[in-house]
Amino acid sequence: MSVANMTPAEVRALIRRNELVRPTSGMANGYTQANMAILKKDLAFEFLLFCQRNPKPCPVLDVTEPGSPVPRLVAPGADLRTDLPKYRIYRHGELVEEVTDIVQYWEDDMVAFLLGCSFTFEQALMNNGIPVRHIEEECNVAMYKTNIPCVKAGRFEGPMVVSMRPIPEKDVVRAVQVTSRFPAVHGAPVHIGNPESIGIQDLHKPDFGDPVTIKEGEVPVFWACGVTPQAVAMQVKPELMITHAPGHMFITDLRDEQFGVL
Amino acid sequence: MSVANMTPAEVRALIRRNELVRPTSGMANGYTQANMAILKKDLAFEFLLFCQRNPKPCPVLDVTEPGSPVPRLVAPGADLRTDLPKYRIYRHGELVEEVTDIVQYWEDDMVAFLLGCSFTFEQALMNNGIPVRHIEEECNVAMYKTNIPCVKAGRFEGPMVVSMRPIPEKDVVRAVQVTSRFPAVHGAPVHIGNPESIGIQDLHKPDFGDPVTIKEGEVPVFWACGVTPQAVAMQVKPELMITHAPGHMFITDLRDEQFGVL
């Protein structure tokens, strides 16, 4: 059976046994994948507050009890210490290691945050016949730092990072409607059109990810990006912070459609 | 000028001078009103997590920085110590006093939570020609304890409290659509029809508020209620907790329509 058609629990079991150490795109189709950030409890309130104040870049899907690696709301049978294919360990804001499990790093006062990711709304766009360029071109989505400030919470502050997808003019309205249905995974765009209005100088030079082709008659459309909370948290230089490795997401038990508000 | 047509800042100024000590329903029409709960910082993370896990009964509109009485997101010019008409002081879960300001109770480690209230979606129902019975009958909405458990967070747990509005059969679908637009103020109903399915034995005997008339051809429709988080917090018996007095809400600078997701 292909990993595309497996259940989330089946895919996570393979990942747990280190038999599937690769990006999770295309696994357990139809199920919601999530970004992960783990912080110590002393920063957890401020980070949760930051997410609550900035729901577009930081849509919270689940937060674990301090010390528990079990995401009870979105996957009660999972263990966040082992069930992602690859993790990044940051000390004082510096990447120090990439590992395939974090059992040895786990501490009693850790809190794991699972945040919605763009895979869900990209699938919804494609289900509506709207092309997603970086998937067509098999590269990473183009991401940019903007001049849009996030709302500060305690020590957490910084600019919003956005992802850009070129959308055919005739599909722009529908793209807004479709993604508005999914506020738990970034929701509606934050900007349509002129990149300079939000502080982006050159679409061909993204700050993260890869540049993509923008065709004649296509409009750049910008969504709040899940890189934002990690970038902001990194500036605080926490003693220890653990995240998923880019593209190596956590696969939840919930279906994308369950996050549609209407 | 009538208080209905004043701006939120004008109404709050009157309230601050104790010139308007009464329920806020009908003041600053079109602007969003909020429930308030103030806790000490040591309970704030768990309570925020409880709200995040139970967004229907506990829709967070704003959370202040610890020690700050200013709700920067929803009313940066306001002071939560003085700008509500009436407050309730609870010690160890017991109501000890009702006061018109809380300046003398305010401490450096307090965090104020503003939670969405049903006024917003009731206005939306009426704008759609759907009657709201307790407003017609000039009484309090009928509220019931249910057998629907909230999702636990730390010390906070308990059953969901719901409010009930009788809706004409022909308007039930539209009532779901209209309120779904406003997830920040309780959103879509949690149940339609048979009260016993959610553990309510007698609609004529609400646990809070007043019973209302249910006419021939009307269906009881149940929404998650903002009484839930206060009831749940009270069970934890916090050393000190301050809330708005029932009906004496905080008036924000944001318009109801700004909370519509589509």
Side-chain angles (χ1 to χ4, degrees), chain A:
Chain A
M1 186 162 64
S2 106
V3 290
N5 299 320
M6 287 182 184
T7 67
E10 288 166 341
V11 175
R12 290 195 306 259
L14 290 176
I15 290 173
R16 194 177 303 178
R17 297 199 299 267
N18 285 336
E19 292 172 16
L20 210 56
V21 184
R22 55 184 173 83
T24 50
S25 174
M27 296 180 186
N29 269 340
Y31 289 90
T32 299
Q33 301 198 12
N35 298 294
M36 188 184 68
I38 296 175
L39 288 166
K40 299 258 218 165
K41 172 116 171 49
D42 67 326
L43 280 173
F45 173 68
E46 283 177 26
F47 189 67
L48 184 56
L49 198 50
F50 183 82
C51 293
Q52 194 275 324
R53 288 181 178 170
N54 298 281
K56 282 196 151 190
C58 316
V60 177
L61 299 186
D62 202 353
V63 182
T64 62
E65 299 288 325
S68 167
V70 178
R72 287 196 316 179
L73 298 193
V74 302
D79 186 329
L80 293 173
R81 298 172 299 183
T82 53
D83 292 2
L84 288 78
K86 207 184 283 182
Y87 301 78
R88 285 187 165 183
I89 314 291
Y90 293 86
R91 292 197 186 274
H92 305 290
E94 299 280 325
L95 173 63
V96 294
E97 205 174 354
E98 270 198 0
V99 293
T100 57
D101 76 70
I102 55 165
V103 172
Q104 69 178 109
Y105 291 95
W106 188 259
E107 294 174 30
D108 275 354
D109 60 347
M110 282 180 163
V111 178
F113 294 79
L114 294 173
L115 305 176
C117 102
S118 55
F119 291 0
T120 300
F121 78 73
E122 288 175 349
Q123 188 59 50
L125 289 171
M126 292 185 289
N127 292 348
N128 278 269
I130 301 174
V132 177
R133 185 61 32 78
H134 66 277
I135 294 178
E136 293 175 345
E137 298 189 343
E138 297 185 347
C139 63
N140 202 342
V141 69
M143 294 167 273
Y144 308 85
K145 290 181 193 165
T146 69
N147 61 13
I148 306 169
C150 290
V151 183
K152 189 175 185 291
R155 286 161 279 183
F156 294 96
E157 63 184 316
M160 189 188 294
V161 177
V162 296
S163 59
M164 186 279 290
R165 293 163 189 77
I167 305 287
E169 276 178 344
K170 68 172 177 49
D171 292 327
V172 171
V173 168
R174 185 64 188 149
V176 172
Q177 292 173 329
V178 166
T179 57
S180 295
R181 289 189 63 228
F182 295 98
V185 289
H186 304 308
V190 293
H191 182 65
I192 295 170
N194 184 10
E196 290 180 17
S197 310
I198 56 172
I200 299 170
Q201 300 311 319
D202 187 349
L203 283 184
H204 301 292
K205 294 180 182 161
D207 294 299
F208 311 98
D210 304 310
V212 297
T213 311
I214 304 179
K215 299 181 185 171
E216 186 73 25
E218 289 183 337
V219 181
V221 179
F222 302 88
W223 278 267
C225 177
V227 165
T228 311
Q230 282 190 19
V232 162
M234 236 52 105
Q235 288 186 4
V236 176
K237 302 194 195 310
E239 183 198 331
L240 178 62
M241 175 170 176
I242 303 174
T243 72
H244 66 286
H248 298 68
M249 319 301 275
F250 177 72
I251 303 174
T252 76
D253 288 343
L254 298 177
R255 288 176 178 277
D256 287 336
E257 269 303 318
Q258 292 180 272
F259 290 102
V261 287
L262 203 61

